[in-house]
Amino acid sequence: MGQSSMVLFGLILLFYLVFYGFLAALFTFTMWVMLQTLNDEVPKYRDQISSPGLTVFPKPVTALEYSFSVSEPESYKGYIEDLKKFLTPYASEAQKNLKVCANGVLSEQKGPVYEACQFPLNLLEACSGENDPDFGYSQGHPCILVKMNRIIGLKPQGQPRIECTGNSKGENTTTLAAYPPEGNIDLKYFPYYGKKLHASYLQPLVAVQLNYTASSTPKEVTVECKIVGSKNLKNYDDRDKFLGRVAFKITMRA
Amino acid sequence: MGQKTPRIYSVELNGAKDMKQTDKGDGKDKYRGLQDNCLELGKNQRKEHLTKEIDLDDHKLSNKELETKYHTNIVTGLSSTQAAELLARDGPNALSPPKETPEIIKFLKQMVGGFSILLWAGAILCWIAYGIQYSNDKSSSLDNVYLGTVLALVVILTGIFAYYQEAKSTNIMASFSKMIPQQALVIRDSEKKIIPAEQLVVGDIVEIKGGDQIPADIRLLFAQGCKVDNSSLTGESEPQSRSCEFTHDDPLETKNIGFYSTTCLEGTATGMVINTGDRTIIGQIASLASGVGNEKTPIAIEIQHFVHIVAGVAISIGVLFFIIAVSMKYRVLDSIIFLIGIIVANVPEGLLATVTVTLSLTAKRMAKKNCLVKNLEAVETLGSTSIICSDKTGTLTQNRMTVAHLWFDNQIFMADTSEDQLKQTFDQSSGTWASLSKIIALCNRAEFRPGQERVPIMKRVVVGDASETALLKFSEVVLGDVMEIRKRNHKVAEIPFNSTNKFQLSIHKTDDPIDKRFLMVMKGAPEKVLEKCSTIMVNGQEQPLNNSTAEAFYTAYMELGGLGERVLGFCHLYLPADEFPETYSFDVDAMNFPMSDFCFVGLLSMIDPPRSTVPDAITKCRSAGIKVIMVTGDHPITAKAIAKSVGIISANSETVEDIAKRLNIAVEQVNKQDAKAAVVTGTELKDMSEDQLDEVLTSYPEIVFARTSPQQKLIIVEGCQRQDAVVAVTGDGVNDSPALKKADIGIAMGIAGSDAAKNAADMVLLDDNFASIVTGVEEGRLIFDNLKKTIAYTLTKNIAELCPFLIYIIVGVPLPLGTITILFIDLGTDIVPSIALAYEKAESDIMNRKPRHKKKDRLVNEPLVVYSYLHIGIMQSLGAFLVYFTVYAQEGFRPSTLINLRVEWEKDSVNNLEDSYGQEWTRYQRKYLEWTGYTAFFIGIMVQQIADLIIRKTRRNSIFQQGLFRNKVIWVGIASQIIIALILSYGLGSITALNFTMLRPQYWFVAVPHAILIWVYDEMRKLFIRLYPGSWWDKNMYY
């Protein structure tokens, strides 16, 4: 009795082994077939990201809120490190093999080798970190970098630029400086050809620097940036609060 | 269930206990009271002995004793004040209506039954999760609140739906109220008054006449030619005469008691009310019926079993993965949300509603075939039935006397006894027949009610008693217009039948213009008739009556009597014209005519014949493995004869008594194993212990119980249920109602049935046709098979709904299938197809297999769950995952990138998540892609559910044997799946709350190869089952 039930159990075990083995092989095969339909360089469809989102650096920890005290370097150390890390690929050493492209025109390429255009750090002027390693945080003029999300094949029309406005509480007025001037994004950085073909690609950046005029503390500013000047880059969507725009808050204590 | 002490149902006459208990409170208390009551009854039942079943001795008392006992006066009646006092004490003379479960409790039961508890738990967990989220972050999304609300709505809506379905199919029948006679003629304060019968009290003197319903249990004080119809109480189809003499110890048998709600057919009577309302015999039986608890129907047990399995799987997987999630360092809040997802994925939300719809569809189909189902679940019960206990009168028989046999010329002729006899085919050429038919036509007082010329003879209304009606219809069929014959043979004198003479006689002028003799015709009890004869007619010639002819007569008489038939003898005498000239005046009181030397012409026997459809139906029940037992209040001989003629006792089986008679030995010497059949009378049953009854029930395949009381019917049903049988009881009388209630399924006759029987029954045969039961059995078995298919179909996708969660938790891919989307499958695309399976035809002859075993053949068995979950379910999940991965890969996220992406993917602050090609996605763009993934997974499941639906059409046969297009509703189901999916994806794809997006057309076809694989695999499974019956494959793969 015990033996026959063992045999039966073995038989059933064997069956499931074979059955699931077959299913696993089949699934692997169909997945393989599916992967064959893919292109290594470009995804098959790009309809779901037709327009880029905007993101900011330093990378916000939770919500889009920066909070630091000018007098305490520890409170903004993280931000500075994050910015430095982010800007490493932009160091002139790292860029020296990149092409210097003509301004104002799309750099469409046919391959097989796709070249990336230089984005000299000095375009960011005061926020480049070259002259001020504290990116203005120690002086109470913090820099925030704004960038457009990479989308393969995106060709902006017109002259895209990032426009930021600051709103602060009470009577404080804030002026925002943008680098490159007027937050321009040069067309020469488009289109992007994908991670594989365009490995050395550098995204164009825009830096925003806050300049407070009033001196009351703490200073709280809400900044809203959006892409303007290009027809095919949306800057408003009901549901997607980061499509072509970004809003963040900076709280600065003395 | 299994107590050893005999459980006997008996009723105390002054059963005020029951009354008191029902008076307790209302609402919930009432409900509880009902249960207490049942318990109480149970205890009493065990103590009392059956012989005391009806404790009534008023029939033994003299009039004087009665007067003292009830403080009344036979002549003057009660005084009004006395009556008012008694009325206040005893309450009105009416049956208390059956206790009903309050509607609100029925509704609440629907709200918490089945999977509802699990879904409520899910909903509450959702709200708790939101509560935690909210306390951490005031701006947290309301998704969990929505989900909780949706789950609660699902429970409430399916609950309302089930309640509505249930309510629609119950309460079809009116209550006992119809049985209560409206008025009664009563003597009070020495005056005759007409009062509502409800106001009668014990001691009242009432007068009744033919046509009245007897207003209470009465002891007769005076009666003249009074006959009552007790068939609804005792099952006897013949009218019972009533007089004021005490004739039998048993109050049910004695002639001087008239029972509440029975009908007085003819004559007049005066009686004293001895019991009113619930204390009457009928009232006791009715309360016996309501005291019998309603057992859970087999299908309810099966569904509960199924719910337990699914809930068990859901809870154990849920808890397991909760633990896994917590130990994988997921936050508790997330783990709770996983738990909800797992519960929702595991519970087939739409299934119970589907089952209800399926059952009600079958109920509708059965109603078309004249089986009205009062309790939805009873639809299936008939299919599981293994024993049918059938009442005789009105159920197996037509409940009307019909001529069955004739004996003349030393020969027995058989008459046609079918319901719609058009002509009689026996040899009618003999001269004897000419004489006999004349006597039958003339010696008869029954008449057709005028104005029925167009009505078929058998359906015409006749004024006259049962035997005379039978004879009238018989001669109308054979001879044509009987009224015309009677007119031509003018009746000059007659002596009506009475119980002392036991004969009926009439004298006619003949229609022969030459023959001026009077014809004297007589019919009556054969031995009485024969006494008056000196000759016998053979082949039209009169012959002297000698010993051998008398012997032949007795043989025929005994033979017909042995068939349980009522035998009448017929004779005639032509009066000599010289002695009785045309002008002779006959005087029936002086008897100025001869009463001897008649010429004996023939015998004729009558029986309440079986319905013509019954024998065939019983054969079908036999081949379907159902044992048919006859339980009747009628006499054993009649019962046995009918049992033989319908096949309950088959032609070649014998009872112990038969064997004893054949072998000419004592009954005790017969080897009981030789006997296949048994006829057990109520008296024998009274002395049997529970074990003895069990032995009778198990050792004889063919059993007839005769002369049984309502209580005994209950005992028999209980005995059958002890054998693990699913018992159906058919009946029409009040006496059947307790057994109908006790049975797993009670079947009442719609036309002949009393209201009490219809009330207690779960099913009513509208055409009184026993054959409809066979239809019911077939439908019941089919629905059981088809429910298996529906459940297998529904369970399959549970795995495909569950796997996404498990993979999401363990591998960390973006969630492949959302909880709301799951609900759209369970309550959207899957509903019509699972109902469509109810329309599937049977795979093989379901009427040739044994009824399912209540405890072994489960609705949801291991192979069904294993095959659905671990075979088809897994295949389906793989197919759906393929669609999911395809969508993500083609949009830029290759499978390798997806692994462990979950945390970053779900972070609201990450708006530049990089895909496999270096593109960056905002949170909302990812969310939209995730919804596209949901839609893709949904479509993947939907496409494969089409294949699943097709394979579920059969369990053993190939789909091609079954026919792919025979069940059109399946295609409606498939169309509904596709249309709902199209609407969700393309129509409502823009409503973000539903989490559907527009999916590229080609993704609809990605899972098609998997769907085909499912079909091929299942065909292989069925092929091996057919090729190797009994193999381990068959055992493990046939559900």
Side-chain angles (χ1 to χ4, degrees):
Chain A
M1 197 51 201
Q3 201 159 8
S4 70
S5 68
M6 280 291 282
V7 169
L8 195 68
F9 180 75
L11 211 59
I12 289 172
L13 200 72
L14 184 74
F15 168 78
Y16 276 101
L17 221 62
V18 171
F19 179 60
Y20 285 144
F22 165 75
L23 286 186
L26 185 91
F27 183 68
T28 316
F29 172 73
T30 48
M31 285 293 279
W32 178 80
V33 169
M34 184 272 286
L35 290 175
Q36 295 317 298
T37 67
L38 299 181
N39 182 322
D40 271 354
E41 289 102 33
V42 185
K44 190 153 184 168
Y45 301 112
R46 297 192 296 273
D47 57 317
Q48 302 215 342
I49 39 171
S50 52
S51 194
L54 284 192
T55 37
V56 290
F57 284 89
K59 218 173 179 173
V61 186
T62 50
L64 282 172
E65 281 180 8
Y66 302 99
S67 165
F68 65 95
S69 170
V70 180
S71 52
E72 291 168 44
E74 278 301 312
S75 65
Y76 53 81
K77 196 177 147 217
Y79 298 138
I80 290 169
E81 270 169 15
D82 201 29
L83 284 172
K84 277 186 176 154
K85 201 175 130 204
F86 179 70
L87 288 175
T88 326
Y90 291 84
S92 36
E93 276 300 301
Q95 289 200 40
K96 69 182 180 219
N97 295 330
L98 302 189
K99 193 180 161 193
V100 181
C101 307
N103 288 349
V105 282
L106 297 167
S107 31
E108 285 179 270
Q109 301 171 62
K110 295 244 160 65
V113 180
Y114 293 82
E115 288 181 308
C117 298
Q118 280 190 349
F119 184 87
L121 260 190
N122 57 25
L123 285 176
L124 299 180
E125 298 175 29
C127 289
S128 67
E130 287 175 330
N131 306 324
D132 176 8
D134 290 340
F135 294 93
Y137 284 82
S138 51
Q139 281 103 51
H141 305 302
C143 287
I144 304 290
L145 297 179
V146 182
K147 72 165 184 67
M148 257 164 67
N149 280 350
R150 286 191 296 267
I151 291 174
I152 292 173
L154 178 74
K155 295 177 211 166
Q157 294 163 352
Q159 174 51 62
R161 57 189 186 84
I162 306 269
E163 188 185 85
C164 295
T165 49
N167 275 314
S168 50
K169 273 188 189 168
E171 293 170 20
N172 294 337
T173 53
T174 318
T175 55
L176 295 173
Y179 321 107
E182 296 181 358
N184 272 334
I185 296 174
D186 203 294
L187 288 180
K188 67 183 174 188
Y189 300 104
F190 299 94
Y192 172 54
Y193 286 101
K195 196 157 89 176
K196 186 154 184 201
L197 298 177
H198 224 163
S200 51
Y201 176 77
L202 282 181
Q203 278 175 282
L205 304 172
V206 170
V208 189
Q209 189 167 30
L210 280 77
N211 294 308
Y212 290 95
T213 49
S215 56
S216 69
T217 53
K219 288 159 183 156
E220 207 177 272
V221 187
T222 308
V223 180
E224 210 187 302
C225 299
K226 55 185 178 187
I227 302 174
V228 290
S230 174
K231 263 193 289 176
N232 62 344
L233 303 184
K234 285 189 213 143
N235 62 13
Y236 182 77
D237 186 280
D238 264 349
R239 299 180 199 116
D240 192 350
K241 290 195 177 119
F242 294 90
L243 190 76
R245 60 180 164 147
V246 63
F248 52 92
K249 198 163 98 181
I250 298 177
T251 312
M252 192 167 60
R253 295 179 301 276
Chain B
M1 273 292 196
Q3 334 98 333
K4 297 253 166 76
T5 47
R7 255 182 100 177
I8 292 151
Y9 289 90
S10 66
V11 185
E12 285 170 308
L13 190 66
N14 302 315
K17 257 185 218 165
D18 294 1
M19 295 291 289
K20 272 183 226 153
Q21 291 206 320
T22 51
D23 289 341
K24 262 198 278 173
D26 50 3
K28 273 187 180 172
D29 280 343
K30 198 171 179 180
Y31 188 64
R32 205 184 301 143
L34 190 124
Q35 289 178 325
D36 292 344
N37 201 2
C38 293
L39 279 173
E40 190 85 6
L41 256 173
K43 277 180 208 156
N44 288 346
Q45 285 150 11
R46 269 166 253 153
K47 282 179 204 155
E48 302 266 338
H49 198 266
L50 191 68
T51 46
K52 288 183 194 163
E53 59 184 27
I54 291 163
D55 182 15
L56 186 73
D57 56 4
D58 289 344
H59 53 299
K60 298 174 189 164
L61 303 180
S62 71
N63 290 1
K64 272 272 163 273
E65 287 169 317
L66 281 170
E67 280 188 319
T68 4
K69 182 173 175 187
Y70 293 106
H71 312 288
T72 183
N73 183 298
I74 289 175
V75 183
T76 61
L78 292 170
S79 69
S80 304
T81 41
Q82 254 181 314
E85 276 170 27
L86 288 171
L87 189 64
R89 189 193 74 189
D90 293 342
N93 173 34
L95 298 182
S96 42
K99 299 146 205 156
E100 287 203 11
T101 321
E103 293 299 305
I104 183 74
I105 287 183
K106 281 191 202 164
F107 182 70
L108 287 180
K109 266 188 159 175
Q110 296 288 2
M111 287 289 154
V112 295
F115 296 117
S116 306
I117 292 279
L118 221 49
L119 290 178
W120 280 122
I124 289 165
L125 282 178
C126 277
W127 292 324
I128 291 175
Y130 176 74
I132 298 172
Q133 274 176 338
Y134 185 79
S135 63
N136 290 345
D137 176 9
K138 298 274 183 290
S139 65
S140 58
S141 83
L142 287 166
D143 284 357
N144 281 325
V145 178
Y146 292 147
L147 182 59
T149 313
V150 168
L151 288 181
L153 269 179
V154 166
V155 180
I156 292 169
L157 288 180
T158 50
I160 288 174
F161 179 76
Y163 171 78
Y164 168 74
Q165 284 287 347
E166 199 68 47
K168 214 170 64 173
S169 57
T170 47
N171 296 328
I172 302 172
M173 296 296 155
S175 68
F176 284 100
S177 57
K178 265 201 222 153
M179 289 169 52
I180 296 167
Q182 294 300 304
Q183 305 286 334
L185 182 60
V186 62
I187 301 174
R188 278 187 190 168
D189 306 323
S190 314
E191 268 176 71
K192 284 187 186 181
K193 291 178 186 169
I194 291 181
I195 61 165
E198 279 195 16
Q199 292 176 12
L200 283 181
V201 293
V202 285
D204 265 334
I205 308 299
V206 291
E207 288 185 10
I208 50 169
K209 57 179 194 304
D212 286 351
Q213 237 183 357
I214 297 177
D217 280 0
I218 56 172
R219 158 70 211 267
L220 298 185
L221 304 169
F222 163 80
Q224 192 177 38
C226 177
K227 278 190 176 177
V228 291
D229 174 11
N230 273 355
S231 65
S232 77
L233 190 64
T234 61
E236 284 161 312
S237 46
E238 292 167 32
Q240 309 285 306
S241 66
R242 292 284 109 155
S243 64
C244 36
E245 296 130 35
F246 159 56
T247 55
H248 202 288
D249 271 343
D250 186 345
L252 282 173
E253 303 272 346
T254 186
K255 286 200 168 166
N256 58 355
I257 302 260
F259 297 107
Y260 178 41
S261 92
T262 59
T263 319
C264 175
L265 294 173
E266 53 187 84
T268 56
T270 308
M272 182 189 294
V273 174
I274 50 173
N275 278 314
T276 57
D278 287 331
R279 291 169 300 282
T280 58
I281 302 292
I282 289 277
Q284 289 173 35
I285 294 173
S287 64
L288 197 59
S290 59
V292 173
N294 245 343
E295 305 266 320
K296 256 199 169 151
T297 59
I299 196 71
I301 294 170
E302 290 306 317
I303 287 173
Q304 198 181 22
H305 175 237
F306 155 71
V307 167
H308 285 164
I309 291 179
V310 172
V313 170
I315 291 172
S316 41
I317 294 183
V319 170
L320 180 72
F321 275 84
F322 184 79
I323 294 168
I324 290 178
V326 170
S327 57
M328 280 175 76
K329 306 262 154 50
Y330 281 100
R331 287 182 304 161
V332 175
L333 179 68
D334 287 339
S335 306
I336 290 179
I337 292 170
F338 300 157
L339 184 64
I340 299 164
I342 288 171
I343 290 177
V344 173
N346 254 310
V347 172
E349 286 84 5
L351 187 60
L352 293 186
T354 312
V355 170
T356 314
V357 172
T358 310
L359 288 176
S360 63
L361 280 174
T362 309
K364 253 184 216 160
R365 203 151 57 198
M366 286 168 81
K368 263 189 207 153
K369 294 176 182 168
N370 290 318
C371 289
L372 189 67
V373 180
K374 281 169 62 191
N375 173 7
L376 263 193
E377 287 167 351
V379 168
E380 189 276 333
T381 315
L382 209 46
S384 318
T385 298
S386 48
I387 297 184
I388 298 177
C389 291
S390 179
D391 178 40
K392 180 184 74 76
T393 314
T395 310
L396 298 173
T397 67
Q398 301 168 18
N399 200 12
R400 65 160 182 234
M401 290 310 255
T402 307
V403 175
H405 291 95
L406 302 101
W407 179 81
F408 57 87
D409 293 348
N410 276 325
Q411 233 183 312
I412 290 180
F413 297 91
M414 230 166 75
D416 178 11
T417 54
S418 64
E419 281 89 337
D420 50 348
Q421 34 189 284
L422 295 173
K423 58 174 191 282
Q424 295 290 353
T425 49
F426 59 90
D427 181 18
Q428 299 170 1
S429 57
S430 159
T432 319
W433 167 244
S435 304
L436 181 57
S437 58
K438 200 162 196 177
I439 307 171
I440 297 170
L442 295 180
C443 189
N444 191 334
R445 298 176 70 200
E447 282 174 25
F448 288 114
R449 203 164 271 176
Q452 299 187 90
E453 285 72 23
R454 280 156 191 265
V455 183
I457 296 167
M458 283 302 138
K459 294 208 172 121
R460 289 189 202 164
V461 181
V462 175
V463 186
D465 77 14
S467 311
E468 296 232 290
T469 305
L471 291 170
L472 173 62
K473 286 184 173 174
F474 176 73
S475 43
E476 182 85 9
V477 168
V478 183
L479 301 173
D481 196 339
V482 173
M483 295 303 163
E484 186 56 37
I485 296 172
R486 288 195 197 157
K487 239 180 246 169
R488 289 201 309 260
N489 297 275
H490 180 70
K491 179 156 66 183
V492 290
E494 83 174 328
I495 303 174
F497 186 88
N498 70 52
S499 47
T500 7
N501 288 348
K502 297 209 165 151
F503 69 81
Q504 179 181 355
L505 179 142
S506 58
I507 303 167
H508 301 259
K509 287 180 177 168
T510 62
D511 54 354
D512 186 345
I514 307 152
D515 193 348
K516 294 290 175 200
R517 294 179 297 173
F518 283 103
L519 173 63
M520 207 150 82
V521 288
M522 184 200 278
K523 76 164 185 235
E527 66 277 8
K528 293 275 173 192
V529 171
L530 194 72
E531 276 172 17
K532 297 182 173 55
C533 297
S534 58
T535 58
I536 183 165
M537 189 179 273
V538 177
N539 297 329
Q541 303 301 316
E542 277 188 40
Q543 293 179 0
L545 191 66
N546 53 28
N547 277 348
S548 72
T549 39
E551 184 75 8
F553 159 85
Y554 276 110
T555 319
Y557 181 24
M558 293 314 289
E559 189 177 340
L560 295 178
L563 293 172
E565 297 176 3
R566 187 195 293 175
V567 190
L568 290 176
F570 293 81
C571 64
H572 71 193
L573 178 65
Y574 281 97
L575 297 175
D578 46 348
E579 270 183 64
F580 300 94
E582 241 180 300
T583 50
Y584 189 85
S585 157
F586 292 94
D587 185 342
V588 290
D589 295 319
M591 302 275 265
N592 56 353
F593 44 84
M595 281 303 288
S596 60
D597 295 332
F598 281 79
C599 171
F600 191 84
V601 181
L603 290 173
L604 188 148
S605 67
M606 285 171 292
I607 196 164
D608 176 13
R611 294 170 186 273
S612 51
T613 48
V614 170
D616 188 39
I618 287 184
T619 317
K620 280 186 182 156
C621 287
R622 276 269 158 73
S623 64
I626 302 169
K627 187 169 172 178
V628 184
I629 295 177
M630 182 194 280
V631 183
T632 177
D634 213 339
H635 295 275
I637 298 173
T638 324
K640 190 176 163 193
I642 294 293
K644 282 214 150 174
S645 66
V646 297
I648 286 181
I649 296 180
S650 42
N652 49 2
S653 40
E654 292 176 307
T655 63
V656 174
E657 291 78 12
D658 288 338
I659 297 174
K661 205 173 152 195
R662 177 165 54 85
L663 301 175
N664 216 353
I665 51 174
V667 173
E668 291 75 30
Q669 288 172 290
V670 177
N671 180 5
K672 283 191 178 167
Q673 318 238 298
D674 293 344
K676 269 181 75 190
V679 178
V680 183
T681 62
T683 346
E684 289 165 357
L685 192 58
K686 238 180 214 178
D687 302 328
M688 273 188 199
S689 72
E690 208 167 83
D691 293 336
Q692 281 171 315
L693 176 61
D694 287 357
E695 201 196 311
V696 168
L697 288 171
T698 44
S699 49
Y700 298 103
E702 298 169 349
I703 310 173
V704 170
F705 289 98
R707 279 327 250 173
T708 50
S709 67
Q711 284 86 352
Q712 288 177 325
K713 289 192 178 189
L714 256 186
I715 290 170
I716 294 165
V717 172
E718 274 200 330
C720 295
Q721 284 171 336
R722 272 198 303 276
Q723 325 294 322
D724 267 346
V726 175
V727 184
V729 169
T730 64
D732 59 343
V734 178
N735 58 332
D736 299 319
S737 58
L740 287 171
K741 195 83 183 277
K742 178 71 198 169
D744 294 290
I745 176 167
I747 305 166
M749 297 291 137
I751 304 169
S754 60
D755 286 339
K758 288 185 205 170
N759 248 323
D762 303 297
M763 190 181 274
V764 179
L765 299 182
L766 293 178
D767 57 354
D768 285 14
N769 189 347
F770 190 83
S772 308
I773 294 177
V774 177
T775 317
V777 170
E778 198 168 355
E779 290 287 353
R781 290 186 176 188
L782 186 59
I783 198 69
F784 186 82
D785 284 3
N786 285 349
L787 276 181
K788 267 191 175 202
K789 296 173 184 174
T790 301
I791 289 175
Y793 168 78
T794 314
L795 284 189
T796 305
K797 54 136 200 298
N798 274 7
I799 286 295
E801 290 168 353
L802 181 66
C803 283
F805 259 100
L806 308 188
I807 299 293
Y808 165 72
I809 295 170
I810 294 176
V811 184
V813 297
L815 185 63
L817 186 66
T819 318
I820 302 267
T821 325
I822 290 177
L823 291 178
F824 272 104
I825 300 176
D826 287 1
L827 298 169
T829 55
D830 260 10
I831 291 287
V832 183
S834 49
I835 293 171
L837 282 170
Y839 288 92
E840 204 52 52
K841 298 275 180 299
E843 275 176 72
S844 55
D845 195 351
I846 43 176
M847 292 307 279
N848 274 336
R849 66 177 193 217
K850 281 198 146 52
R852 73 183 181 93
H853 192 283
K854 212 156 101 178
K855 292 189 175 143
K856 284 183 201 146
D857 307 324
R858 310 305 306 250
L859 179 66
V860 176
N861 51 18
E862 196 188 298
L864 187 147
V865 176
V866 169
Y867 185 68
S868 301
Y869 274 175
L870 298 184
H871 293 222
I872 304 297
I874 297 283
M875 286 162 108
Q876 212 175 58
S877 313
L878 292 181
F881 266 109
L882 182 67
V883 193
Y884 161 83
F885 280 123
T886 307
V887 167
Y888 274 82
Q890 298 199 336
E891 290 288 349
F893 288 92
R894 285 164 171 269
S896 49
T897 317
L898 288 178
I899 291 167
N900 272 326
L901 194 62
R902 193 192 80 91
V903 178
E904 285 291 295
W905 181 276
E906 288 183 350
K907 260 191 199 158
D908 281 335
S909 57
V910 176
N911 279 292
N912 58 341
L913 188 77
E914 201 176 304
D915 65 15
S916 317
Y917 294 90
Q919 307 187 94
E920 290 168 319
W921 296 65
T922 66
R923 172 70 183 123
Y924 182 79
Q925 284 165 339
R926 295 197 304 271
K927 224 177 207 168
Y928 193 80
L929 179 58
E930 191 175 314
W931 294 338
T932 312
Y934 293 174
T935 314
F937 210 97
F938 166 81
I939 299 293
I941 292 180
M942 187 278 289
V943 167
Q944 294 176 92
Q945 277 294 79
I946 294 178
D948 191 25
L949 180 62
I950 290 171
I951 65 166
R952 299 301 183 182
K953 277 164 70 77
T954 61
R955 294 184 296 146
R956 181 184 288 273
N957 287 352
S958 162
I959 294 302
F960 302 101
Q961 285 172 296
Q962 181 80 351
L964 197 48
F965 299 98
R966 242 174 71 197
N967 180 358
K968 303 276 188 300
V969 190
I970 290 279
W971 293 95
V972 174
I974 292 175
S976 86
Q977 278 181 303
I978 295 172
I979 290 168
I980 291 175
L982 282 172
I983 291 173
L984 285 175
S985 174
Y986 295 111
L988 305 175
S990 48
I991 300 172
T992 46
L994 298 182
N995 299 355
F996 279 95
T997 67
M998 293 191 194
L999 200 67
R1000 279 173 212 284
Q1002 67 263 37
Y1003 293 143
W1004 289 62
F1005 299 96
V1006 176
V1008 169
H1010 272 86
I1012 293 169
L1013 178 76
I1014 288 175
W1015 190 348
V1016 172
Y1017 179 70
D1018 193 62
E1019 278 295 320
M1020 257 170 55
R1021 176 188 73 93
K1022 290 168 188 164
L1023 180 70
F1024 285 127
I1025 287 174
R1026 292 197 303 274
L1027 285 182
Y1028 306 107
S1031 63
W1032 72 272
W1033 180 273
D1034 186 14
K1035 277 179 209 146
N1036 288 289
M1037 301 291 266
Y1038 181 66
Y1039 54 87

